[in-house]
Amino acid sequence: MCPQCGTRDAEWDPDLGGDPYAYTAVGHKCWGCEEIQREQKEIPDGAAGAGMKALLLPTSVLAAQEVEAALASGS
């Protein structure tokens, strides 16, 4: 199975029972991926950004983490 598209050779190869037109590639905009790309641009180059990744958190979870951090710091 291809790790990128998830299909198998047999799905495409008529000699293996597949159809070379089994799938059609279509464009799809993912709003989550767009948000991740926007945040990735903010990660600094070099040592300052080493190991950093952008990820999606539900807004409510982020807000709870911020409240927890504020309570822990006494502010």
Side-chain angles (χ1 to χ4, degrees):
M1 181 169 74
C2 174
Q4 185 167 339
C5 74
T7 66
R8 302 179 190 286
D9 289 346
E11 294 179 86
W12 297 95
D13 188 341
D15 293 339
L16 299 174
D19 177 354
Y21 304 101
Y23 295 90
T24 301
V26 297
H28 169 76
K29 178 177 180 115
C30 176
W31 298 96
C33 289
E34 179 182 21
E35 187 67 19
I36 287 171
Q37 286 176 344
R38 187 178 2 266
E39 183 63 25
Q40 283 173 329
K41 291 177 183 176
E42 302 300 319
I43 295 174
D45 291 331
M52 292 183 69
K53 296 181 187 250
L55 59 103
L56 294 176
L57 284 178
T59 302
S60 59
V61 171
L62 181 59
Q65 289 176 344
E66 290 170 347
V67 168
E68 182 179 37
L71 292 173
S73 71
S75 24

